[in-house]
Amino acid sequence: MQYKWKYEPPSQDVLKAADELAEKINMSPIIAQLLIRRGITTESAAKRFFRPQLSDLIDPFLMKDMDRAVDRLNDAMGRKERILVYGDYDVDGCTAVALVYKFLQQFYSNIDYYIPDRYEEGYGISQQGLDYAKQTGVKLIIILDCGIKAIDEIEQAKALGIDFIVCDHHVPDEQIPAAVAVLNPKRPDDNYPFKELCGCGVGFKLMQAFAKNNGIPFARLIPLLDFCAVSIAADLVEVVDENRILAFHGLKQLNQNPSIGLKAIIDICGLTGRDIAMSDIIFKIGPRINASGRVESGKETVDLLIERDYNTAMKKAILINEYNEQRKDIDKQMTDEANQIVEKLENQRHQSAIVLYDENWKKGVVGIVASRLTEIYYRPTVVLTRNENLATGSARSVAGFDVYAAIKSCRDLLLNFGGHTYAAGLTLRWDDIKAFRERFQQYVDQHIIPDQREATLDIDAIIDFKDITKKLHNELKRLAPFGPCNPKPIFSTNGVYDFGTSKVVGRAQEHIKLELVDSKSNNVMNGIAFGQSGAARYIKSKRAFDIAYTIEDNTFKHGAIQLHIEDIRHDE
C-alpha cells in the first residue's frame, strides 16, 4: 500500500510548552509533545493519563434507564425468576455474556446464557432464541451487544411474558425498543458523559450498578476486567476516558491473573510469559474468540470463557484454535476470489467504493474479507453472500468516512442493518443488490473527501536514531494501552542507509530484516518491514531513504529495541 505521510511540525509555542511539561513530569520532551498532541497539557492531566484510576469510572446510574434495569434485575432474583443472558456471536458479544453471567452466577443460580447461531439464526434476537427462552421458563433476558433495533422481537417477547434489559452500543434508530430498560449511551436522550463504550462495557456498567445497589464491593468486579480489555481491543472502540481506564486495568488483570478460559487462549497462541498488549488481543486472542462463531457456534466460546477447570479449558481452546486455522484458510480463499473480481471489474478502479457479492462465500468470514479489501484498495467496502433469497454481509470503512451513514442512506432497500462508523452489517433481498450498489457508491462519491481516498500515515515526530534510547522506549510504553484516538506513536527518520546486512526474509521472501544507520549518528538500529520486500533492491543500493516506524521490543533479543517499519520512502 502506498501511504501519504502527514506531519505537522510543532510550533515554537508547542515546543516551549513541551519542554516545560517534560521538566514537570521528568520525561523526554518527545513524550511531552506526544501528550500535547493528545490534548494533555498539564502535569495533573498527565498523571491521570499515566495512572488511570478505577475510582474515576463514571457513576453507572448516570446512564438512562440504569435504575430501571437494576430494579428489574433485583425483582427477578427476589422472585427466583429464570434469567437468560443473551449476546452476539462476536468477541464483544461473547465477552459481554461471559462477564455478566460469571458475575451474576456468584449470587444467583437460576441463570442461563444463549448465543444465536450465525448461520441458522443470524444477528440479534432470533425466533429460536425466543422459543428457547419460553420453553425453559425464562422471565427476564439481558441482551448484550445487540437488541437496540429489535422492536418487533421485544414486543413478541412481552406477549410471551418475557421482559428485556437491552445493553447495546450500536447507533439506535428513531424508535427505541419497548424493553423494561434500554442501556445505550448513544441514545439521543441519554446524558451519560461517555458515548463510546463497547457492548461488554455497557454490560460491565450494569454489573457495576447492580453491585453498588446491593452493597457488593467493587473489588468483586475487578477479576472480570480482562473481558473488558479483550472487548475494547477487538471491537476497536476509542481507547480514551472510561475505555482507557477499563482497558488499562483489564490488561493488568489479563497479564497478572486472567480468567481460566482466557489463560488457555493465551497459552494456545504462544503469549505465555509475554507482556500482553492491545495488539496481541487484536491479532491473536480476538481472532480465536471470533473463530468459533464464524466456523461453528459462538456458544462454544462462552463455554470456554466461563470455564473454571484449566485442563477442560485447554481442550476447548485447542478446538477453537483449530476453528481459527479453518477460518484462515477460508479467509484467504475468499480474499483471493474477491481480489480477482475487483481486478476483472475495470470500472471498480474508478469507483470510490467496492460492493462485491458471491452466493458461495461463507457468511462468517465476509467481514474479514471486507477488511482485507479495504486495506488493499483503501475504499469503503461491502461484501455480501447469499442466504436463500436474501443477501447478508458486512461493510468496512476507511479512516474518517462513516460507512454506517452510507448504508443508512439506502435503508429503503434494506431489511436490516446496524453498526458503527467504521463497521456495519446489513441484510437485503438478493435481487436488490445492484440497486444497493449503485445507491451506496453514489452516496460515497458525494460524501467522501480527497484525504479519505488515500491511505495516510500520521507522523507524530521526526527524530534521529540517537534519540531512540531505552529510557524513551520505556516512557513510550506508559502511553499504552493504544487504540483508536490513542494510536501507537509513529516516528520518522530521514536519510537512513543500509548498514550492509539488511536482507529479505520470510517464507515467500516478502519481508525485509533491516540494519540501518542514519546520516546524523553512527547508531545502528534493527528493524523489520513486513510485506515491503519490493524496496529491498533500492535499500541494498546504498542510497539514502526515509522510514516511518513504531518503536518495539525485540521479542527475540530480551531488552533490545526494534523498529517496526510502517513505510519506506525513497526517490524512485
Side-chain angles (χ1 to χ4, degrees):
M1 181 185 291
Q2 291 292 315
Y3 285 103
K4 177 182 178 181
W5 293 16
K6 291 177 68 177
Y7 174 64
E8 186 177 328
S11 66
Q12 287 303 312
D13 288 343
V14 168
L15 289 172
K16 182 181 177 184
D19 286 340
E20 292 172 358
L21 181 60
E23 190 172 340
K24 289 175 183 174
I25 62 177
N26 192 29
M27 297 181 87
S28 160
I30 294 171
I31 298 295
Q33 284 184 44
L34 295 174
L35 290 174
I36 290 170
R37 284 174 69 93
R38 285 158 171 74
I40 299 161
T41 57
T42 65
E43 181 181 3
S44 59
K47 287 179 177 177
R48 285 197 304 274
F49 182 79
F50 287 130
R51 294 193 289 272
Q53 301 295 313
L54 289 169
S55 57
D56 287 335
L57 288 172
I58 300 166
D59 180 354
F61 285 100
L62 292 178
M63 192 177 293
K64 188 171 180 62
D65 280 3
M66 186 63 81
D67 52 347
R68 298 176 65 184
V70 172
D71 287 346
R72 182 63 185 91
L73 182 53
N74 285 336
D75 288 346
M77 295 171 81
R79 295 198 290 257
K80 297 188 172 14
E81 293 176 346
R82 188 154 184 79
I83 299 171
L84 183 67
V85 185
Y86 189 118
D88 188 24
Y89 35 64
D90 68 359
V91 176
D92 195 12
C94 289
T95 52
V97 168
L99 185 151
V100 171
Y101 179 83
K102 277 189 77 170
F103 188 69
L104 291 180
Q105 197 187 33
Q106 298 174 76
F107 314 103
Y108 191 67
S109 60
N110 194 13
I111 186 168
D112 193 8
Y113 59 91
Y114 189 92
I115 302 289
D117 184 278
R118 183 191 293 263
Y119 298 99
E120 292 186 7
E121 299 171 68
Y123 175 80
I125 302 166
S126 67
Q127 187 60 53
Q128 293 96 314
L130 289 179
D131 290 345
Y132 177 83
K134 184 64 178 175
Q135 290 161 12
T136 54
V138 168
K139 292 297 181 185
L140 175 64
I141 296 177
I142 301 172
I143 186 163
L144 297 141
D145 193 34
C146 51
I148 193 64
K149 294 189 175 183
I151 309 297
D152 296 338
E153 294 86 349
I154 288 175
E155 284 291 348
Q156 182 187 348
K158 191 185 293 186
L160 296 172
I162 301 170
D163 285 337
F164 266 87
I165 295 172
V166 175
C167 300
D168 205 349
H169 71 123
H170 295 97
V171 178
D173 254 347
E174 287 75 13
Q175 186 178 356
I176 299 293
V180 169
V182 177
L183 307 178
N184 186 333
K186 290 191 177 79
R187 285 179 62 167
D189 57 348
D190 192 334
N191 295 318
Y192 191 74
F194 184 62
K195 303 295 183 185
E196 302 305 324
L197 291 168
C198 58
C200 187
V202 179
F204 178 84
K205 298 306 293 188
L206 174 59
M207 294 301 94
Q208 184 189 1
F210 171 79
K212 186 175 182 179
N213 181 261
N214 287 279
I216 300 166
F218 182 85
R220 299 284 293 272
L221 286 161
I222 291 175
L224 301 168
L225 288 172
D226 52 3
F227 292 136
C228 289
V230 169
S231 175
I232 288 166
D235 220 50
L236 297 175
V237 292
E238 296 179 3
V239 188
V240 295
D241 300 330
E242 193 159 41
N243 279 343
R244 179 172 172 82
I245 298 171
L246 293 171
F248 181 91
H249 290 279
L251 278 175
K252 187 176 177 182
Q253 186 71 26
L254 193 66
N255 279 290
Q256 294 178 359
N257 189 24
S259 63
I260 296 296
L262 285 175
K263 174 74 171 84
I265 297 173
I266 289 167
D267 291 345
I268 207 74
C269 59
L271 292 172
T272 310
R274 279 183 52 186
D275 186 19
I276 297 169
M278 299 289 269
S279 56
D280 295 312
I281 297 171
I282 293 169
F283 295 112
K284 295 193 174 183
I285 296 173
R288 285 166 172 81
I289 293 175
N290 256 335
S292 184
R294 295 188 191 283
V295 177
E296 286 294 331
S297 165
K299 187 176 185 298
E300 292 183 47
T301 295
V302 180
D303 294 342
L304 168 60
L305 293 177
I306 66 169
E307 182 56 57
R308 297 177 180 178
D309 176 73
Y310 178 78
N311 291 330
T312 305
M314 200 61 191
K315 290 175 184 175
K316 293 175 178 176
I318 290 169
L319 184 60
I320 280 175
N321 195 55
E322 290 172 2
Y323 293 154
N324 191 50
E325 292 303 313
Q326 293 175 40
R327 187 272 307 166
K328 284 195 274 190
D329 290 340
I330 297 165
D331 166 14
K332 185 179 185 308
Q333 179 187 338
M334 286 173 54
T335 302
D336 288 346
E337 290 173 1
N339 269 322
Q340 289 170 17
I341 294 170
V342 174
E343 289 301 315
K344 287 177 184 176
L345 294 174
E346 193 64 32
N347 66 321
Q348 287 278 12
R349 299 174 188 275
H350 309 292
Q351 297 284 358
S352 55
I354 295 172
V355 179
L356 297 180
Y357 53 96
D358 188 301
E359 59 185 31
N360 297 314
W361 285 342
K362 197 170 178 67
K363 182 180 175 184
V365 188
V366 291
I368 298 174
V369 175
S371 294
R372 298 265 190 274
L373 294 174
T374 303
E375 291 167 7
I376 295 167
Y377 298 102
Y378 212 73
R379 282 176 277 179
T381 300
V382 179
V383 178
L384 300 160
T385 187
R386 187 166 188 159
N387 180 16
E388 296 180 349
N389 66 332
L390 301 180
T392 61
S394 294
R396 296 293 184 269
S397 194
V398 296
F401 184 78
D402 188 344
V403 76
Y404 177 83
I407 287 173
K408 187 176 180 181
S409 72
C410 309
R411 64 182 308 160
D412 56 301
L413 294 171
L414 305 177
L415 301 175
N416 196 10
F417 70 99
H420 323 275
T421 301
Y422 295 122
L426 64 158
T427 301
L428 65 157
R429 293 178 185 85
W430 185 259
D431 292 342
D432 288 339
I433 289 178
K434 290 182 180 177
F436 167 78
R437 179 166 62 184
E438 186 177 325
R439 288 262 301 279
F440 179 80
Q441 290 180 332
Q442 186 178 43
Y443 180 94
V444 177
D445 285 339
Q446 292 171 354
H447 292 85
I448 200 164
I449 61 175
D451 278 357
Q452 294 165 352
R453 291 174 178 266
E454 53 188 341
T456 58
L457 212 54
D458 290 315
I459 307 297
D460 287 277
I462 296 175
I463 61 175
D464 299 321
F465 284 174
K466 64 179 171 54
D467 299 316
I468 304 173
T469 62
K470 286 188 177 180
K471 180 177 184 295
L472 176 68
H473 185 36
N474 289 331
E475 290 175 351
L476 283 169
K477 290 179 181 179
R478 296 191 63 190
L479 297 173
F482 299 114
C485 296
N486 184 40
K488 184 171 287 189
I490 297 176
F491 300 100
S492 170
T493 300
N494 301 328
V496 303
Y497 297 85
D498 175 28
F499 186 60
T501 49
S502 298
K503 60 183 179 180
V504 175
V505 296
R507 186 177 299 174
Q509 299 285 282
E510 68 271 42
H511 316 309
I512 317 174
K513 189 174 185 300
L514 298 158
E515 285 192 329
L516 304 172
V517 291
D518 69 2
S519 56
K520 296 183 180 178
S521 72
N522 292 319
N523 295 25
V524 179
M525 293 300 306
N526 292 310
I528 183 74
F530 292 109
Q532 298 182 62
S533 59
R537 184 186 295 273
Y538 185 94
I539 289 169
K540 298 302 288 182
S541 72
K542 294 290 186 179
R543 286 175 287 179
F545 54 96
D546 304 336
I547 54 171
Y549 56 89
T550 59
I551 300 172
E552 311 285 351
D553 287 315
N554 188 328
T555 53
F556 298 104
K557 293 181 181 178
H558 182 69
I561 294 171
Q562 177 174 260
L563 307 183
H564 184 148
I565 312 296
E566 298 288 339
D567 198 25
I568 296 168
R569 191 170 65 178
H570 53 78
D571 292 336
E572 292 182 2

